[in-house]
PDB file of all heavy atoms in Angstrom:
ATOM      1  N   LEU A 447     136.261  86.685 108.584  1.00  0.00           N
ATOM      2  CA  LEU A 447     137.568  86.344 108.020  1.00  0.00           C
ATOM      3  C   LEU A 447     137.492  85.796 106.592  1.00  0.00           C
ATOM      4  O   LEU A 447     138.449  85.925 105.823  1.00  0.00           O
ATOM      5  CB  LEU A 447     138.261  85.298 108.912  1.00  0.00           C
ATOM      6  CG  LEU A 447     138.578  85.738 110.347  1.00  0.00           C
ATOM      7  CD1 LEU A 447     139.117  84.566 111.153  1.00  0.00           C
ATOM      8  CD2 LEU A 447     139.577  86.894 110.345  1.00  0.00           C
ATOM      9  N   ALA A 448     136.372  85.193 106.242  1.00  0.00           N
ATOM     10  CA  ALA A 448     136.264  84.532 104.942  1.00  0.00           C
ATOM     11  C   ALA A 448     136.069  85.533 103.813  1.00  0.00           C
ATOM     12  O   ALA A 448     135.406  86.561 103.984  1.00  0.00           O
ATOM     13  CB  ALA A 448     135.097  83.546 104.963  1.00  0.00           C
ATOM     14  N   PRO A 449     136.636  85.256 102.637  1.00  0.00           N
ATOM     15  CA  PRO A 449     136.387  86.125 101.473  1.00  0.00           C
ATOM     16  C   PRO A 449     134.940  86.005 101.015  1.00  0.00           C
ATOM     17  O   PRO A 449     134.299  84.959 101.191  1.00  0.00           O
ATOM     18  CB  PRO A 449     137.349  85.572 100.419  1.00  0.00           C
ATOM     19  CG  PRO A 449     137.652  84.178 100.843  1.00  0.00           C
ATOM     20  CD  PRO A 449     137.558  84.156 102.338  1.00  0.00           C
ATOM     21  N   LYS A 450     134.443  87.061 100.412  1.00  0.00           N
ATOM     22  CA  LYS A 450     133.030  87.090 100.023  1.00  0.00           C
ATOM     23  C   LYS A 450     132.684  86.011  99.007  1.00  0.00           C
ATOM     24  O   LYS A 450     131.581  85.466  99.020  1.00  0.00           O
ATOM     25  CB  LYS A 450     132.658  88.470  99.492  1.00  0.00           C
ATOM     26  CG  LYS A 450     132.620  89.548 100.569  1.00  0.00           C
ATOM     27  CD  LYS A 450     132.157  90.879 100.019  1.00  0.00           C
ATOM     28  CE  LYS A 450     132.102  91.926 101.123  1.00  0.00           C
ATOM     29  NZ  LYS A 450     131.668  93.246 100.605  1.00  0.00           N
ATOM     30  N   TYR A 451     133.613  85.709  98.114  1.00  0.00           N
ATOM     31  CA  TYR A 451     133.294  84.711  97.100  1.00  0.00           C
ATOM     32  C   TYR A 451     133.007  83.352  97.746  1.00  0.00           C
ATOM     33  O   TYR A 451     132.168  82.578  97.259  1.00  0.00           O
ATOM     34  CB  TYR A 451     134.433  84.597  96.070  1.00  0.00           C
ATOM     35  CG  TYR A 451     135.617  83.755  96.520  1.00  0.00           C
ATOM     36  CD1 TYR A 451     135.622  82.368  96.345  1.00  0.00           C
ATOM     37  CD2 TYR A 451     136.724  84.352  97.123  1.00  0.00           C
ATOM     38  CE1 TYR A 451     136.706  81.609  96.763  1.00  0.00           C
ATOM     39  CE2 TYR A 451     137.804  83.599  97.549  1.00  0.00           C
ATOM     40  CZ  TYR A 451     137.788  82.226  97.362  1.00  0.00           C
ATOM     41  OH  TYR A 451     138.845  81.476  97.788  1.00  0.00           O
ATOM     42  N   LEU A 452     133.691  83.074  98.868  1.00  0.00           N
ATOM     43  CA  LEU A 452     133.474  81.816  99.571  1.00  0.00           C
ATOM     44  C   LEU A 452     132.094  81.801 100.234  1.00  0.00           C
ATOM     45  O   LEU A 452     131.387  80.787 100.215  1.00  0.00           O
ATOM     46  CB  LEU A 452     134.566  81.589 100.609  1.00  0.00           C
ATOM     47  CG  LEU A 452     134.463  80.293 101.430  1.00  0.00           C
ATOM     48  CD1 LEU A 452     134.466  79.077 100.510  1.00  0.00           C
ATOM     49  CD2 LEU A 452     135.604  80.206 102.445  1.00  0.00           C
ATOM     50  N   LEU A 453     131.702  82.930 100.814  1.00  0.00           N
ATOM     51  CA  LEU A 453     130.376  83.014 101.433  1.00  0.00           C
ATOM     52  C   LEU A 453     129.281  82.834 100.390  1.00  0.00           C
ATOM     53  O   LEU A 453     128.272  82.165 100.634  1.00  0.00           O
ATOM     54  CB  LEU A 453     130.203  84.360 102.146  1.00  0.00           C
ATOM     55  CG  LEU A 453     131.061  84.593 103.391  1.00  0.00           C
ATOM     56  CD1 LEU A 453     130.785  85.971 103.957  1.00  0.00           C
ATOM     57  CD2 LEU A 453     130.801  83.527 104.447  1.00  0.00           C
ATOM     58  N   ARG A 454     129.474  83.451  99.214  1.00  0.00           N
ATOM     59  CA  ARG A 454     128.481  83.299  98.146  1.00  0.00           C
ATOM     60  C   ARG A 454     128.375  81.836  97.710  1.00  0.00           C
ATOM     61  O   ARG A 454     127.289  81.316  97.468  1.00  0.00           O
ATOM     62  CB  ARG A 454     128.853  84.173  96.951  1.00  0.00           C
ATOM     63  CG  ARG A 454     128.741  85.669  97.212  1.00  0.00           C
ATOM     64  CD  ARG A 454     128.872  86.476  95.937  1.00  0.00           C
ATOM     65  NE  ARG A 454     128.898  87.893  96.234  1.00  0.00           N
ATOM     66  CZ  ARG A 454     130.000  88.638  96.267  1.00  0.00           C
ATOM     67  NH1 ARG A 454     131.177  88.084  96.000  1.00  0.00           N
ATOM     68  NH2 ARG A 454     129.933  89.920  96.556  1.00  0.00           N
ATOM     69  N   LYS A 455     129.515  81.181  97.607  1.00  0.00           N
ATOM     70  CA  LYS A 455     129.540  79.786  97.196  1.00  0.00           C
ATOM     71  C   LYS A 455     128.842  78.901  98.227  1.00  0.00           C
ATOM     72  O   LYS A 455     128.086  77.986  97.890  1.00  0.00           O
ATOM     73  CB  LYS A 455     130.992  79.339  97.000  1.00  0.00           C
ATOM     74  CG  LYS A 455     131.129  77.972  96.358  1.00  0.00           C
ATOM     75  CD  LYS A 455     132.581  77.666  96.045  1.00  0.00           C
ATOM     76  CE  LYS A 455     132.702  76.305  95.364  1.00  0.00           C
ATOM     77  NZ  LYS A 455     134.110  75.981  95.037  1.00  0.00           N
ATOM     78  N   LEU A 456     129.090  79.178  99.502  1.00  0.00           N
ATOM     79  CA  LEU A 456     128.456  78.403 100.570  1.00  0.00           C
ATOM     80  C   LEU A 456     126.950  78.568 100.543  1.00  0.00           C
ATOM     81  O   LEU A 456     126.193  77.608 100.717  1.00  0.00           O
ATOM     82  CB  LEU A 456     129.010  78.825 101.933  1.00  0.00           C
ATOM     83  CG  LEU A 456     130.393  78.281 102.304  1.00  0.00           C
ATOM     84  CD1 LEU A 456     130.909  78.978 103.558  1.00  0.00           C
ATOM     85  CD2 LEU A 456     130.327  76.777 102.530  1.00  0.00           C
ATOM     86  N   TRP A 457     126.494  79.803 100.345  1.00  0.00           N
ATOM     87  CA  TRP A 457     125.050  80.037 100.312  1.00  0.00           C
ATOM     88  C   TRP A 457     124.419  79.342  99.114  1.00  0.00           C
ATOM     89  O   TRP A 457     123.350  78.731  99.222  1.00  0.00           O
ATOM     90  CB  TRP A 457     124.753  81.533 100.272  1.00  0.00           C
ATOM     91  CG  TRP A 457     123.302  81.815 100.505  1.00  0.00           C
ATOM     92  CD1 TRP A 457     122.349  82.043  99.572  1.00  0.00           C
ATOM     93  CD2 TRP A 457     122.635  81.857 101.768  1.00  0.00           C
ATOM     94  NE1 TRP A 457     121.126  82.240 100.169  1.00  0.00           N
ATOM     95  CE2 TRP A 457     121.279  82.131 101.524  1.00  0.00           C
ATOM     96  CE3 TRP A 457     123.061  81.702 103.089  1.00  0.00           C
ATOM     97  CZ2 TRP A 457     120.345  82.242 102.543  1.00  0.00           C
ATOM     98  CZ3 TRP A 457     122.119  81.818 104.090  1.00  0.00           C
ATOM     99  CH2 TRP A 457     120.792  82.083 103.814  1.00  0.00           C
ATOM    100  N   ALA A 458     125.090  79.411  97.975  1.00  0.00           N
ATOM    101  CA  ALA A 458     124.575  78.761  96.773  1.00  0.00           C
ATOM    102  C   ALA A 458     124.545  77.242  96.916  1.00  0.00           C
ATOM    103  O   ALA A 458     123.797  76.561  96.215  1.00  0.00           O
ATOM    104  CB  ALA A 458     125.414  79.153  95.562  1.00  0.00           C
ATOM    105  N   SER A 459     125.358  76.711  97.835  1.00  0.00           N
ATOM    106  CA  SER A 459     125.408  75.257  98.027  1.00  0.00           C
ATOM    107  C   SER A 459     124.341  74.758  99.002  1.00  0.00           C
ATOM    108  O   SER A 459     124.428  73.666  99.520  1.00  0.00           O
ATOM    109  CB  SER A 459     126.795  74.838  98.528  1.00  0.00           C
ATOM    110  OG  SER A 459     126.998  75.315  99.851  1.00  0.00           O
ATOM    111  N   ASN A 460     123.369  75.611  99.262  1.00  0.00           N
ATOM    112  CA  ASN A 460     122.203  75.231 100.084  1.00  0.00           C
ATOM    113  C   ASN A 460     122.499  75.173 101.574  1.00  0.00           C
ATOM    114  O   ASN A 460     121.910  74.377 102.292  1.00  0.00           O
ATOM    115  CB  ASN A 460     121.602  73.897  99.634  1.00  0.00           C
ATOM    116  CG  ASN A 460     120.364  74.104  98.790  1.00  0.00           C
ATOM    117  OD1 ASN A 460     119.730  75.156  98.843  1.00  0.00           O
ATOM    118  ND2 ASN A 460     120.021  73.114  97.996  1.00  0.00           N
ATOM    119  N   ILE A 461     123.376  76.045 102.054  1.00  0.00           N
ATOM    120  CA  ILE A 461     123.613  76.109 103.497  1.00  0.00           C
ATOM    121  C   ILE A 461     122.335  76.510 104.235  1.00  0.00           C
ATOM    122  O   ILE A 461     122.126  76.146 105.386  1.00  0.00           O
ATOM    123  CB  ILE A 461     124.762  77.101 103.813  1.00  0.00           C
ATOM    124  CG1 ILE A 461     125.182  76.933 105.283  1.00  0.00           C
ATOM    125  CG2 ILE A 461     124.362  78.530 103.502  1.00  0.00           C
ATOM    126  CD1 ILE A 461     126.411  77.740 105.637  1.00  0.00           C
ATOM    127  N   LYS A 462     121.451  77.230 103.538  1.00  0.00           N
ATOM    128  CA  LYS A 462     120.179  77.639 104.132  1.00  0.00           C
ATOM    129  C   LYS A 462     119.368  76.417 104.564  1.00  0.00           C
ATOM    130  O   LYS A 462     118.812  76.371 105.661  1.00  0.00           O
ATOM    131  CB  LYS A 462     119.399  78.463 103.103  1.00  0.00           C
ATOM    132  CG  LYS A 462     118.077  79.027 103.589  1.00  0.00           C
ATOM    133  CD  LYS A 462     117.461  79.862 102.486  1.00  0.00           C
ATOM    134  CE  LYS A 462     116.134  80.462 102.923  1.00  0.00           C
ATOM    135  NZ  LYS A 462     115.515  81.261 101.841  1.00  0.00           N
ATOM    136  N   ASN A 463     119.311  75.398 103.699  1.00  0.00           N
ATOM    137  CA  ASN A 463     118.579  74.174 104.041  1.00  0.00           C
ATOM    138  C   ASN A 463     119.297  73.380 105.123  1.00  0.00           C
ATOM    139  O   ASN A 463     118.655  72.717 105.948  1.00  0.00           O
ATOM    140  CB  ASN A 463     118.381  73.315 102.791  1.00  0.00           C
ATOM    141  CG  ASN A 463     117.399  73.937 101.818  1.00  0.00           C
ATOM    142  OD1 ASN A 463     116.508  74.680 102.221  1.00  0.00           O
ATOM    143  ND2 ASN A 463     117.569  73.662 100.548  1.00  0.00           N
TER     144      ASN A 463
END
Side-chain angles (χ1 to χ4, degrees):
L447 298 174
K450 290 184 179 179
Y451 80 86
L452 180 58
L453 292 179
R454 292 190 186 101
K455 189 173 182 180
L456 282 170
W457 191 263
S459 68
N460 259 339
I461 192 173
K462 183 177 180 181
N463 290 332

